[in-house]
Amino acid sequence: MSDQPAVRPAPVSGFPEWLPHVRLVELRRLDAIRAAFERYGFCSIETPAAERLEVLLAKGETSKEVYTLGRAQGSDEGQLGLRFDLTVPFARYAAQHFNELVFPFKRYQVQSVWRGERPQDGRFREFTQCDIDVINVDRVPIHFDAELPRIVHEVLTSLDLPAWTINVNNRKVLQGFYEGLGIDEPLDVIRAVDKIDKIGADGVASLLADRLDQARIESVLALARLRGGVGDVRALGVRSALLDEGLAELDFVLRELADLPEVVADFSIARGLDYYTGTVYEGKFVDWPEYGSICSGGRYENLAGSFTRRSLPGVGMSIGFSRIFAKVLSAGLLDTGPSTPADVLVVLPPDRRRTATATAGALRDNGFNVELYHQEDKVAKQLRYASRKGIPFVWFPPFEDGRSHEVKDLATGAQTTADPATWSRPRT
Amino acid sequence: MSDQPAVRPAPVSGFPEWLPHVRLVELRRLDAIRAAFERYGFCSIETPAAERLEVLLAKGETSKEVYTLGRAQGSDEGQLGLRFDLTVPFARYAAQHFNELVFPFKRYQVQSVWRGERPQDGRFREFTQCDIDVINVDRVPIHFDAELPRIVHEVLTSLDLPAWTINVNNRKVLQGFYEGLGIDEPLDVIRAVDKIDKIGADGVASLLADRLDQARIESVLALARLRGGVGDVRALGVRSALLDEGLAELDFVLRELADLPEVVADFSIARGLDYYTGTVYEGKFVDWPEYGSICSGGRYENLAGSFTRRSLPGVGMSIGFSRIFAKVLSAGLLDTGPSTPADVLVVLPPDRRRTATATAGALRDNGFNVELYHQEDKVAKQLRYASRKGIPFVWFPPFEDGRSHEVKDLATGAQTTADPATWSRPRT
């Protein structure tokens, strides 16, 4: 024991970190997400943590939540800030490297983002987003409006979550429907309806009361309440060319995903009013609707208008990995295991370090994660180490020449002879 | 084409990013590193990008290179800064979570770090470090002094690099040898010898000239020049208890790693003078010695003295992944391939979207990464897309009922019938 330490180690609010057994689950889940993205041929990109502030704020974002970088001793470089989402860096990347990319460009990006907002349930200052986008020059096939939620469905399924849905809508349906009702400023109505989750139908109705007559308000709310298919919208009797276009697009998406019961139409969602122009998506936990979205996205007209004159429309979705993971963890629903990736602990017998090292090597070559015990100790102590770390198997190299290897299954207590080069883990 | 874009997209000096075909190689290599660490039972941890400044600077580091976080609108939180290495956050983590960790605690950590220094060859402002450490309460077995360079050797081997070595020394050997020579302030001599790579033996000699007599300088340089084993040091005829202790430790490490020709003794390296107390390591490219270290580390007395009164000695090594990767890339030695992880492009035949989707699904279930072409296009155009992206196989679902699936190998041009559920990739 030395003197009192100089600094108390303490967490920084909004910047979560995990103990090893939780981190191991997080890592495996992030791997599953990457694997799903790659299974559909999307490529990984990563962009720097820092961008020039003029890049970060190019689309008029408020600078309130953006962390800027400084240096105690000052510096001559331009002002830098930490990315607050993965869309802006992706737009800058696509514009900067335009001539070196193959289009349609399909990318995924799994990285931290930072926002200097007040930490609260599900809101962090550092969190991991998993974004997937397809962009193309001038035109993006409708194909991707269905492929993206299929990929995200695969991801959410792999995460072993409590019940969720991916709700789908189409901005053209909303706008076309309101136009069909003779509403002059459909964007204002969309803005009101977008709040229905928070303020309820009555709240939306009173927001619209000084703008629309009662019949139109009823129609607007009737659409927002629908959860069926395209036919139910048509049955409301409203008509417009834009509505037809939106319904055809939505119908394609819903038909393509008809095998996925978690994908449902929801005519109340609008998402990113100034950004999305067609299909929109929003994923939610069924039992925690107030927790907000766990994934979201949609089709946009132009990704990178601030950075290039090329027109780059796209379809994209973003998975709020940290939000999802933290919620499942805090709800006690995360199935965590050991704090080590090791499958096997190899016991170090007295005076037989070389045999033990060779045994561990053979097991590793055989595909296992293996700890070799680190000093000569009583076997009971070595077993206790394995059991404290949750290592499922303990391997005994021969303690004398001419003896066999043995392996002990700590869960069952069974101990059998085995060959490290050919052993396979018994099924549980 | 819209108006002139508002912001020119441009790289930020010192913050590298890669095109997809380079990123794909980077990702696979980082995966190989993680797999090697886990093969030895080390667990992953990640710590937040930001720490309180008092944590970052607890050990008296200069604040010159530390990026601090600010907010355009100000904030009430304490001052935060970005981590500049993985050791300080690890020390804070170990102290903070001490009661929840199992010791010896073996962790790896692969994360970005940030330093506001002048970018130059091999020096970035954002770069990825891969750290691996074992810490224990009060005492760390010598076992790990040999295990860590074995793991790092496995990692460097997996990275497919031009020739490299991991040089090993022991601080007790240096200090004990100088004590045996009757030198009063061995640390000053170590500090001088540590510069031998940069200033040469003559430079070291003149640094020592006003401190030591010619005979002692000769002895100091004789030790620094040695590249053999422990016996060669003994042959120099100097004796001290500390030297004996250091030579015994070094002998253990060298014997344990005798099967690895890239691991060599080097009696000139000292590394982190105030930190390491026993074994020290430094990896270098054989043909680019001036590029500096590609990995380094050693044994330390106390990891977290600034944050806890517990004594936590350890052994650790850090791999400069970005340094290594950037050098191999800029030397034209990186073997890059396609810009997509896709193994197969499934052609979309006219009016058979459902068949094509099912085919892509079957191939994915069969373990392949698959792009489904995104719109009905001439087959020649679909083939051209595959070849521009470097996708090696193109799959033709039946264009009519009753026909077979066929797969074309773009490298050989061979086209054969196949079943998507059972197809296996031909060996090349």
Coordinates of all heavy atoms in Angstrom, one line a residue, chain A residues 319-382:
Chain A
I319 N -28.9 1.9 -36.9 CA -29.3 1.2 -35.7 C -28.7 1.8 -34.5 O -27.5 2.0 -34.5 CB -28.9 -0.3 -35.9 CG1 -29.6 -1.0 -37.1 CG2 -29.2 -1.1 -34.6 CD1 -29.0 -2.3 -37.5
G320 N -29.5 2.1 -33.5 CA -28.9 2.7 -32.3 C -28.4 1.6 -31.3 O -29.1 1.3 -30.3
F321 N -27.2 1.1 -31.7 CA -26.7 -0.1 -31.0 C -26.6 0.2 -29.4 O -27.1 -0.6 -28.6 CB -25.4 -0.5 -31.5 CG -24.9 -1.7 -30.8 CD1 -25.3 -3.0 -31.1 CD2 -24.0 -1.6 -29.7 CE1 -24.9 -4.1 -30.4 CE2 -23.5 -2.7 -29.0 CZ -24.0 -3.9 -29.3
S322 N -26.0 1.3 -29.1 CA -25.8 1.5 -27.6 C -27.2 1.7 -26.9 O -27.3 1.2 -25.8 CB -25.0 2.8 -27.4 OG -23.7 2.6 -28.0
R323 N -28.1 2.4 -27.5 CA -29.5 2.5 -26.9 C -30.1 1.2 -26.7 O -30.7 0.9 -25.6 CB -30.4 3.3 -27.9 CG -30.3 4.7 -28.0 CD -31.3 5.3 -29.0 NE -32.7 5.1 -28.7 CZ -33.3 5.7 -27.7 NH1 -32.6 6.6 -27.0 NH2 -34.5 5.5 -27.4
I324 N -30.0 0.3 -27.7 CA -30.6 -1.0 -27.6 C -29.9 -1.8 -26.5 O -30.5 -2.4 -25.6 CB -30.5 -1.8 -28.9 CG1 -31.3 -1.1 -30.0 CG2 -30.9 -3.2 -28.8 CD1 -31.2 -1.6 -31.4
F325 N -28.6 -1.8 -26.6 CA -27.8 -2.7 -25.7 C -28.0 -2.2 -24.2 O -28.2 -3.1 -23.3 CB -26.3 -2.6 -26.1 CG -25.4 -3.6 -25.4 CD1 -25.5 -4.9 -25.8 CD2 -24.6 -3.2 -24.4 CE1 -24.6 -5.9 -25.2 CE2 -23.8 -4.2 -23.8 CZ -23.8 -5.5 -24.2
A326 N -27.9 -0.9 -24.0 CA -28.0 -0.4 -22.6 C -29.4 -0.7 -22.1 O -29.6 -1.0 -20.9 CB -27.8 1.1 -22.6
K327 N -30.4 -0.7 -22.9 CA -31.8 -0.9 -22.4 C -32.0 -2.4 -22.0 O -32.5 -2.7 -21.0 CB -32.8 -0.5 -23.5 CG -34.3 -0.7 -23.1 CD -34.7 0.3 -22.0 CE -36.1 0.1 -21.6 NZ -36.4 0.9 -20.4
V328 N -31.5 -3.3 -22.9 CA -31.6 -4.7 -22.6 C -30.8 -5.0 -21.3 O -31.3 -5.8 -20.5 CB -31.1 -5.5 -23.8 CG1 -31.1 -7.0 -23.5 CG2 -32.1 -5.3 -25.0
L329 N -29.6 -4.4 -21.2 CA -28.8 -4.6 -20.0 C -29.5 -4.1 -18.8 O -29.6 -4.9 -17.8 CB -27.5 -3.9 -20.2 CG -26.4 -4.0 -19.1 CD1 -26.0 -5.5 -18.9 CD2 -25.2 -3.1 -19.4
S330 N -30.0 -2.9 -18.8 CA -30.6 -2.3 -17.6 C -31.9 -3.0 -17.3 O -32.3 -3.1 -16.1 CB -30.8 -0.8 -17.7 OG -31.8 -0.6 -18.7
A331 N -32.6 -3.6 -18.2 CA -33.8 -4.4 -18.0 C -33.5 -5.8 -17.5 O -34.4 -6.5 -17.2 CB -34.7 -4.4 -19.2
G332 N -32.2 -6.1 -17.3 CA -31.9 -7.4 -16.8 C -32.1 -8.5 -17.8 O -32.2 -9.7 -17.4
L333 N -32.2 -8.2 -19.1 CA -32.5 -9.2 -20.1 C -31.3 -9.7 -20.9 O -31.4 -10.4 -21.9 CB -33.6 -8.7 -21.1 CG -34.9 -8.3 -20.4 CD1 -35.8 -7.7 -21.4 CD2 -35.5 -9.6 -19.8
L334 N -30.1 -9.2 -20.5 CA -28.9 -9.5 -21.3 C -28.3 -10.8 -20.7 O -28.0 -10.9 -19.5 CB -27.8 -8.4 -21.2 CG -26.7 -8.5 -22.2 CD1 -27.3 -8.2 -23.6 CD2 -25.5 -7.7 -21.9
D335 N -28.2 -11.8 -21.6 CA -27.7 -13.1 -21.2 C -26.2 -13.1 -21.2 O -25.6 -13.5 -22.2 CB -28.3 -14.1 -22.2 CG -28.2 -15.5 -21.7 OD1 -27.9 -15.7 -20.5 OD2 -28.3 -16.5 -22.5
T336 N -25.6 -12.7 -20.1 CA -24.1 -12.7 -20.1 C -23.5 -14.0 -19.5 O -24.2 -14.7 -18.8 CB -23.6 -11.5 -19.2 OG1 -24.1 -11.7 -17.9 CG2 -24.0 -10.2 -19.8
G337 N -22.3 -14.2 -19.9 CA -21.6 -15.5 -19.4 C -20.3 -15.1 -18.8 O -20.2 -14.2 -17.9
P338 N -19.2 -15.8 -19.1 CA -17.9 -15.7 -18.4 C -17.3 -14.3 -18.8 O -17.7 -13.6 -19.8 CB -17.1 -16.8 -19.0 CG -18.0 -17.6 -19.9 CD -19.2 -16.9 -20.1
S339 N -16.2 -14.0 -18.1 CA -15.5 -12.7 -18.4 C -14.3 -13.0 -19.2 O -13.4 -12.1 -19.4 CB -15.1 -12.1 -17.0 OG -14.1 -13.0 -16.4
T340 N -14.2 -14.1 -19.9 CA -13.1 -14.5 -20.7 C -13.5 -15.2 -21.9 O -14.5 -15.9 -21.9 CB -12.1 -15.4 -19.9 OG1 -11.1 -15.9 -20.9 CG2 -12.8 -16.6 -19.3
P341 N -12.9 -15.0 -23.0 CA -13.2 -15.8 -24.3 C -12.6 -17.2 -24.2 O -12.8 -18.0 -25.1 CB -12.6 -15.0 -25.4 CG -11.4 -14.3 -24.7 CD -11.8 -14.0 -23.3
A342 N -11.9 -17.6 -23.1 CA -11.2 -18.9 -23.1 C -12.2 -20.0 -23.0 O -13.2 -20.0 -22.2 CB -10.2 -18.9 -22.0
D343 N -12.0 -21.0 -23.8 CA -12.8 -22.3 -23.8 C -12.2 -23.3 -22.8 O -12.8 -24.1 -22.2 CB -12.8 -23.0 -25.1 CG -13.2 -22.1 -26.2 OD1 -14.4 -21.6 -26.2 OD2 -12.4 -21.8 -27.2
V344 N -10.8 -23.2 -22.6 CA -10.1 -24.2 -21.9 C -9.0 -23.5 -21.1 O -8.3 -22.6 -21.5 CB -9.4 -25.2 -22.9 CG1 -8.6 -26.3 -22.1 CG2 -10.4 -25.8 -23.8
L345 N -8.8 -24.0 -19.8 CA -7.6 -23.7 -19.0 C -6.8 -24.9 -19.0 O -7.2 -26.0 -18.6 CB -8.0 -23.3 -17.6 CG -6.8 -23.1 -16.7 CD1 -6.1 -21.8 -17.0 CD2 -7.1 -23.2 -15.2
V346 N -5.5 -24.8 -19.5 CA -4.5 -25.9 -19.4 C -3.8 -25.8 -18.0 O -3.2 -24.7 -17.7 CB -3.6 -25.8 -20.6 CG1 -2.4 -26.9 -20.3 CG2 -4.3 -26.1 -21.9
V347 N -3.9 -26.8 -17.3 CA -3.2 -26.9 -16.0 C -1.7 -26.9 -16.2 O -1.2 -27.6 -17.1 CB -3.7 -28.1 -15.2 CG1 -2.8 -28.4 -14.0 CG2 -5.1 -27.8 -14.7
L348 N -0.9 -26.2 -15.4 CA 0.5 -26.3 -15.4 C 1.0 -27.3 -14.3 O 0.9 -27.1 -13.1 CB 1.1 -24.9 -15.1 CG 2.6 -24.8 -15.2 CD1 3.1 -25.1 -16.6 CD2 3.1 -23.4 -14.7
P349 N 1.4 -28.5 -14.8 CA 1.9 -29.5 -13.8 C 3.2 -29.2 -13.3 O 4.0 -28.4 -13.9 CB 1.9 -30.8 -14.6 CG 1.4 -30.5 -16.0 CD 1.6 -29.0 -16.2
P350 N 3.6 -29.8 -12.1 CA 5.0 -29.5 -11.6 C 6.1 -29.9 -12.6 O 6.0 -31.0 -13.2 CB 5.0 -30.4 -10.3 CG 3.6 -30.8 -10.0 CD 2.9 -30.7 -11.3
D351 N 7.0 -29.0 -12.8 CA 8.2 -29.4 -13.7 C 7.9 -29.8 -15.1 O 8.6 -30.6 -15.7 CB 9.0 -30.5 -13.0 CG 9.7 -29.9 -11.7 OD1 10.1 -28.7 -11.7 OD2 9.8 -30.7 -10.7
R352 N 6.7 -29.4 -15.6 CA 6.4 -29.9 -17.0 C 5.9 -28.7 -17.8 O 4.9 -28.8 -18.6 CB 5.4 -31.0 -17.0 CG 6.0 -32.3 -16.3 CD 5.0 -33.4 -16.3 NE 4.8 -34.1 -17.6 CZ 5.6 -35.0 -18.0 NH1 6.6 -35.5 -17.3 NH2 5.4 -35.6 -19.2
R353 N 6.6 -27.6 -17.7 CA 6.1 -26.4 -18.4 C 6.1 -26.6 -19.9 O 5.2 -26.2 -20.6 CB 7.1 -25.2 -18.1 CG 7.0 -24.0 -19.0 CD 7.8 -22.8 -18.4 NE 7.2 -22.2 -17.3 CZ 6.2 -21.3 -17.3 NH1 5.7 -20.9 -18.5 NH2 5.7 -20.8 -16.2
R354 N 7.1 -27.4 -20.4 CA 7.2 -27.5 -21.9 C 6.0 -28.4 -22.4 O 5.4 -28.0 -23.4 CB 8.5 -28.2 -22.3 CG 9.0 -27.9 -23.7 CD 10.5 -27.9 -23.8 NE 11.2 -26.9 -23.0 CZ 11.4 -25.6 -23.5 NH1 11.0 -25.3 -24.7 NH2 11.9 -24.7 -22.7
T355 N 5.7 -29.4 -21.7 CA 4.5 -30.2 -22.1 C 3.2 -29.4 -22.0 O 2.4 -29.5 -22.9 CB 4.3 -31.4 -21.0 OG1 5.6 -32.1 -21.0 CG2 3.2 -32.3 -21.5
A356 N 3.1 -28.6 -21.0 CA 1.9 -27.7 -20.9 C 1.8 -26.7 -22.0 O 0.7 -26.5 -22.6 CB 1.9 -27.0 -19.5
T357 N 2.9 -26.1 -22.3 CA 3.0 -25.1 -23.4 C 2.6 -25.8 -24.7 O 1.8 -25.2 -25.5 CB 4.3 -24.5 -23.5 OG1 4.7 -23.9 -22.3 CG2 4.4 -23.4 -24.6
A358 N 3.1 -27.0 -25.0 CA 2.8 -27.7 -26.2 C 1.3 -28.1 -26.3 O 0.7 -28.0 -27.3 CB 3.7 -28.9 -26.3
T359 N 0.8 -28.5 -25.1 CA -0.6 -28.8 -25.1 C -1.5 -27.6 -25.4 O -2.4 -27.7 -26.2 CB -1.0 -29.3 -23.6 OG1 -0.1 -30.4 -23.4 CG2 -2.4 -29.7 -23.6
A360 N -1.2 -26.5 -24.8 CA -2.0 -25.3 -25.1 C -1.9 -24.9 -26.5 O -2.9 -24.6 -27.2 CB -1.5 -24.1 -24.2
G361 N -0.7 -25.1 -27.1 CA -0.5 -24.8 -28.5 C -1.3 -25.7 -29.4 O -1.9 -25.2 -30.4
A362 N -1.3 -27.0 -29.1 CA -2.1 -27.9 -29.9 C -3.6 -27.6 -29.8 O -4.3 -27.7 -30.8 CB -1.8 -29.3 -29.4
L363 N -4.1 -27.2 -28.6 CA -5.5 -26.9 -28.5 C -5.8 -25.6 -29.3 O -6.9 -25.5 -29.9 CB -5.9 -26.7 -27.0 CG -6.1 -28.0 -26.2 CD1 -6.0 -27.7 -24.7 CD2 -7.4 -28.7 -26.6
R364 N -4.9 -24.7 -29.3 CA -5.1 -23.4 -30.1 C -5.2 -23.8 -31.5 O -6.0 -23.3 -32.3 CB -4.1 -22.4 -29.8 CG -4.2 -21.8 -28.4 CD -3.2 -20.7 -28.1 NE -3.2 -20.3 -26.7 CZ -2.2 -20.5 -25.8 NH1 -1.1 -21.0 -26.3 NH2 -2.4 -20.2 -24.6
D365 N -4.2 -24.6 -32.0 CA -4.2 -25.0 -33.4 C -5.5 -25.7 -33.8 O -5.9 -25.7 -34.9 CB -3.0 -25.9 -33.7 CG -1.7 -25.1 -33.7 OD1 -1.7 -23.9 -33.7 OD2 -0.6 -25.8 -33.6
N366 N -6.1 -26.4 -32.8 CA -7.3 -27.1 -33.0 C -8.6 -26.2 -32.9 O -9.7 -26.6 -32.9 CB -7.4 -28.2 -31.9 CG -8.6 -29.1 -32.0 OD1 -9.3 -29.1 -33.0 ND2 -8.8 -30.0 -31.0
G367 N -8.3 -24.9 -32.8 CA -9.4 -23.9 -32.9 C -10.0 -23.4 -31.6 O -10.9 -22.6 -31.6
F368 N -9.3 -23.7 -30.4 CA -9.9 -23.3 -29.2 C -9.1 -22.0 -28.6 O -8.0 -21.8 -28.9 CB -9.8 -24.4 -28.1 CG -10.7 -25.5 -28.5 CD1 -10.2 -26.7 -29.1 CD2 -12.1 -25.5 -28.3 CE1 -11.0 -27.7 -29.5 CE2 -12.9 -26.5 -28.7 CZ -12.4 -27.6 -29.3
N369 N -9.8 -21.3 -27.8 CA -9.2 -20.2 -27.0 C -8.8 -20.8 -25.7 O -9.6 -21.4 -25.0 CB -10.2 -19.1 -26.8 CG -10.6 -18.4 -28.1 OD1 -9.9 -18.3 -29.0 ND2 -11.8 -17.8 -28.1
V370 N -7.5 -20.6 -25.4 CA -6.9 -21.4 -24.3 C -6.0 -20.5 -23.4 O -5.2 -19.8 -23.9 CB -6.0 -22.5 -24.9 CG1 -5.3 -23.3 -23.8 CG2 -6.8 -23.4 -25.8
E371 N -6.3 -20.6 -22.1 CA -5.4 -20.0 -21.2 C -4.5 -21.1 -20.6 O -5.0 -22.2 -20.3 CB -6.1 -19.4 -20.0 CG -6.9 -18.1 -20.3 CD -7.3 -17.3 -19.1 OE1 -6.5 -17.2 -18.2 OE2 -8.4 -16.8 -19.1
L372 N -3.2 -20.8 -20.6 CA -2.2 -21.7 -19.9 C -2.0 -21.1 -18.5 O -1.7 -19.9 -18.4 CB -0.9 -21.7 -20.7 CG 0.2 -22.5 -20.0 CD1 -0.1 -23.9 -19.7 CD2 1.5 -22.4 -20.9
Y373 N -2.2 -21.9 -17.5 CA -2.1 -21.4 -16.1 C -0.7 -20.9 -15.9 O 0.3 -21.4 -16.4 CB -2.5 -22.5 -15.0 CG -2.7 -21.8 -13.7 CD1 -3.8 -21.1 -13.4 CD2 -1.7 -22.0 -12.7 CE1 -4.0 -20.5 -12.1 CE2 -1.9 -21.4 -11.4 CZ -3.0 -20.6 -11.2 OH -3.2 -20.1 -10.0
H374 N -0.5 -19.8 -15.1 CA 0.6 -19.0 -15.1 C 1.7 -19.3 -14.1 O 2.8 -18.7 -14.2 CB 0.2 -17.5 -15.0 CG -0.8 -17.4 -13.9 ND1 -2.2 -17.5 -14.1 CD2 -0.7 -17.2 -12.5 CE1 -2.8 -17.3 -12.9 NE2 -1.9 -17.2 -12.0
Q375 N 1.5 -20.3 -13.2 CA 2.6 -20.6 -12.3 C 2.3 -22.0 -11.7 O 1.1 -22.5 -11.8 CB 2.8 -19.6 -11.2 CG 1.5 -19.4 -10.3 CD 1.7 -18.2 -9.4 OE1 2.6 -17.4 -9.5 NE2 0.7 -18.0 -8.6
E376 N 3.3 -22.6 -11.1 CA 3.0 -23.9 -10.5 C 2.3 -23.7 -9.2 O 2.7 -22.9 -8.3 CB 4.4 -24.6 -10.3 CG 5.0 -25.0 -11.6 CD 6.2 -25.9 -11.4 OE1 6.5 -26.3 -10.2 OE2 6.9 -26.2 -12.4
D377 N 1.1 -24.3 -9.1 CA 0.2 -24.1 -8.0 C -0.5 -25.4 -7.8 O -0.6 -26.2 -8.7 CB -0.9 -23.0 -8.3 CG -0.5 -21.7 -7.7 OD1 0.2 -21.6 -6.7 OD2 -1.0 -20.6 -8.2
K378 N -1.1 -25.6 -6.6 CA -1.9 -26.8 -6.4 C -3.0 -26.8 -7.4 O -3.5 -25.8 -7.8 CB -2.5 -26.7 -5.0 CG -1.5 -26.9 -3.9 CD -2.2 -26.9 -2.5 CE -1.2 -27.1 -1.4 NZ -1.6 -26.4 -0.2
V379 N -3.3 -28.0 -7.8 CA -4.3 -28.2 -8.9 C -5.7 -27.6 -8.4 O -6.4 -27.0 -9.2 CB -4.5 -29.7 -9.2 CG1 -5.8 -29.9 -10.0 CG2 -3.3 -30.2 -10.0
A380 N -6.0 -27.7 -7.1 CA -7.2 -27.1 -6.6 C -7.3 -25.6 -6.9 O -8.3 -25.1 -7.3 CB -7.4 -27.4 -5.1
K381 N -6.1 -25.0 -6.7 CA -6.1 -23.5 -6.9 C -6.3 -23.2 -8.4 O -6.9 -22.2 -8.8 CB -4.7 -23.0 -6.4 CG -4.8 -21.5 -6.3 CD -3.6 -20.9 -5.5 CE -3.6 -19.4 -5.7 NZ -2.3 -18.8 -5.3
Q382 N -5.7 -24.0 -9.3 CA -5.8 -23.8 -10.7 C -7.3 -24.0 -11.2 O -7.8 -23.3 -12.0 CB -4.9 -24.7 -11.5 CG -3.4 -24.5 -11.1 CD -2.4 -25.2 -12.0 OE1 -2.6 -25.2 -13.2 NE2 -1.3 -25.7 -11.5

